[in-house]
Amino acid sequence: MFEKGIVMSKLILASHGSLAEGMKSALKMILGDTVQAEAFGLDKWEQPQAIMEQIQKLREEAPEEEFIILCDMKGGSVCNRMVELCSEPNVCVISGMNLTLAIGLAMMPPGVKCSEMKAELFEEARDGIEYFDSAVVGGLKEEEEDDLW
Amino acid sequence: MVSLLRIDERLLHGQVAVTWVSNVQASSILIANDEVMGNEMSKMALKMAKPSGMKLAIRSVDDGAALLNDPRSEKIGIFVIVRTIADAVRLCKQTETVKKVNIGGIKKREGCKLVAAAVHVNEEDVENLKELDKLVDSIEFRMVPSDSAKTLEDVLKNF
């Protein structure tokens, strides 16, 4: 399948409520059912500790893989707990979950480490936060650029 | 050069922008749809869905065909999107640049049958599909590149 030595990555979504499971469902809707991601929300898992233990189990099953843990909020209890996992090699935690970022992470080519892609992915996710109202949309009309070449 | 013609009820949206556009070799997107031309708000929304770094042109079906026939279009990869099978036929009758067609979402109407994921067709669509088949090299049905594709034969069998 993949050459030896190539880092495979596992995307893990962790959140308050059921945001993680909802985010996974949105990812599947956009990228198709083959998308690989694990989702852990506190509605189901109750304690950040339980999520951490579950992720540790997954780590034992796939010690070679890079674990990318995408959390809902920096400073939140889930994220704080997940950051503790960073003491292990091949684990990284990203806060500020949103769909653009989750798509970017889910579509990372095999063999690429998250640290190599993060600048690009974060920029894209930040660009995805915008404000629209009638004045803004009215202004957009003026923007020309409607050609193929 | 047209990389792919996509038939999708929703025209350009997140799923198309993220999955198809990165999957086919294209630097430009052409949306060919008559209704959108008269609606500034939907034109704006479509412009917002444009992936960064790509060119986007929104035209009527007829003007879209003219754009594809422009010699400058031969040198670049173009991803074309129309809303209906009938529009695809209309477009392909006016240009020979379209070789591959992907059908990803057609909404439910009177007398429709679900023949592939999110694809609802009626008698008229079936006739149009047969006509489209004569105009292009290949037709496939799937929502995203990672799904397995259904052929026109599969779909006609289901109807």
Side-chain angles (χ1 to χ4, degrees):
Chain A
M1 229 172 85
F2 291 102
E3 283 172 55
K4 226 183 161 188
I6 285 197
V7 199
M8 291 297 296
S9 58
K10 192 185 277 298
L11 178 59
I12 306 219
L13 306 161
S15 75
H16 295 80
S18 297
L19 181 60
E21 287 87 352
M23 188 61 66
K24 182 177 172 181
S25 136
L27 268 181
K28 280 191 160 185
M29 182 175 267
I30 291 190
L31 298 178
D33 281 334
T34 53
V35 70
Q36 298 289 324
E38 303 284 342
F40 302 100
L42 282 183
D43 273 345
K44 179 174 175 206
W45 295 84
E46 292 180 357
Q47 296 292 330
Q49 175 70 26
I51 297 177
M52 189 170 92
E53 284 165 11
Q54 193 58 32
I55 295 174
Q56 273 165 334
K57 264 189 212 159
L58 292 174
R59 284 272 303 149
E60 281 159 26
E61 288 163 20
E64 301 296 311
E65 289 184 30
E66 176 178 42
F67 275 53
I68 304 168
I69 308 173
L70 181 56
C71 299
D72 56 351
M73 190 172 73
K74 181 169 145 187
S77 61
V78 181
C79 187
N80 288 347
R81 210 67 218 247
M82 295 306 117
V83 167
E84 291 176 30
L85 288 166
C86 290
S87 57
E88 295 179 40
N90 279 341
V91 176
C92 63
V93 171
I94 298 170
S95 57
M97 179 189 295
N98 68 50
L99 187 53
T100 308
L101 189 52
I103 289 171
L105 291 168
M107 289 181 66
M108 265 183 20
V112 175
K113 293 206 74 165
C114 186
S115 57
E116 298 166 42
M117 293 280 295
K118 69 175 173 23
E120 191 184 318
L121 294 177
F122 287 7
E123 195 191 332
E124 211 174 66
R126 289 193 182 107
D127 282 352
I129 301 176
E130 272 207 55
Y131 175 87
F132 300 107
D133 66 9
S134 58
V136 175
V137 174
L140 278 172
K141 283 182 198 166
E142 305 310 317
E143 272 184 37
E144 25 61 75
E145 256 242 81
D146 183 21
D147 244 323
L148 293 177
W149 314 290
Chain B
M1 202 197 88
V2 176
S3 320
L4 187 68
L5 168 68
R6 161 97 168 178
I7 303 177
D8 192 321
E9 169 61 28
R10 299 162 296 173
L11 297 172
L12 180 59
H13 54 97
Q15 189 180 67
V16 168
V18 171
T19 59
W20 285 103
V21 173
S22 58
N23 200 267
V24 301
Q25 301 295 319
S27 60
S28 304
I29 300 171
L30 168 66
I31 297 172
N33 183 270
D34 293 352
E35 298 95 72
V36 166
M37 292 314 291
N39 185 336
E40 277 302 320
M41 284 310 262
S42 32
K43 264 169 93 171
M44 288 311 116
L46 290 168
K47 284 185 183 175
M48 281 169 211
K50 179 180 82 75
S52 59
M54 293 196 72
K55 299 264 190 185
L56 170 68
I58 305 174
R59 294 286 189 278
S60 66
V61 174
D62 294 350
D63 289 348
L67 209 59
L68 294 177
N69 288 332
D70 187 301
R72 284 176 290 182
S73 294
E74 278 170 34
K75 299 181 192 80
I76 51 165
I78 306 169
F79 184 83
V80 185
I81 313 172
V82 297
R83 182 168 276 162
T84 63
I85 303 168
D87 280 354
V89 170
R90 239 177 86 205
L91 184 82
C92 294
K93 276 187 174 168
Q94 298 179 72
T95 178
E96 288 176 9
T97 55
V98 177
K99 309 288 176 211
K100 281 166 70 179
V101 176
N102 161 262
I103 302 183
I106 298 175
K107 73 171 172 193
K108 205 172 168 179
R109 290 143 295 144
E110 280 282 309
C112 271
K113 218 178 148 186
L114 181 71
V115 290
V119 176
H120 302 264
V121 298
N122 59 22
E123 295 277 0
E124 187 192 338
D125 292 326
V126 168
E127 289 316 305
N128 280 327
L129 277 172
K130 288 175 185 164
E131 190 159 2
L132 186 63
D133 191 38
K134 291 177 200 148
L135 296 166
V136 300
D137 295 345
S138 71
I139 301 179
E140 56 148 46
F141 296 75
R142 62 177 147 173
M143 287 297 282
V144 292
S146 59
D147 292 343
S148 57
K150 280 192 172 174
T151 63
L152 180 58
E153 216 180 4
D154 298 332
V155 162
L156 293 179
K157 242 185 284 167
N158 286 344
F159 187 71

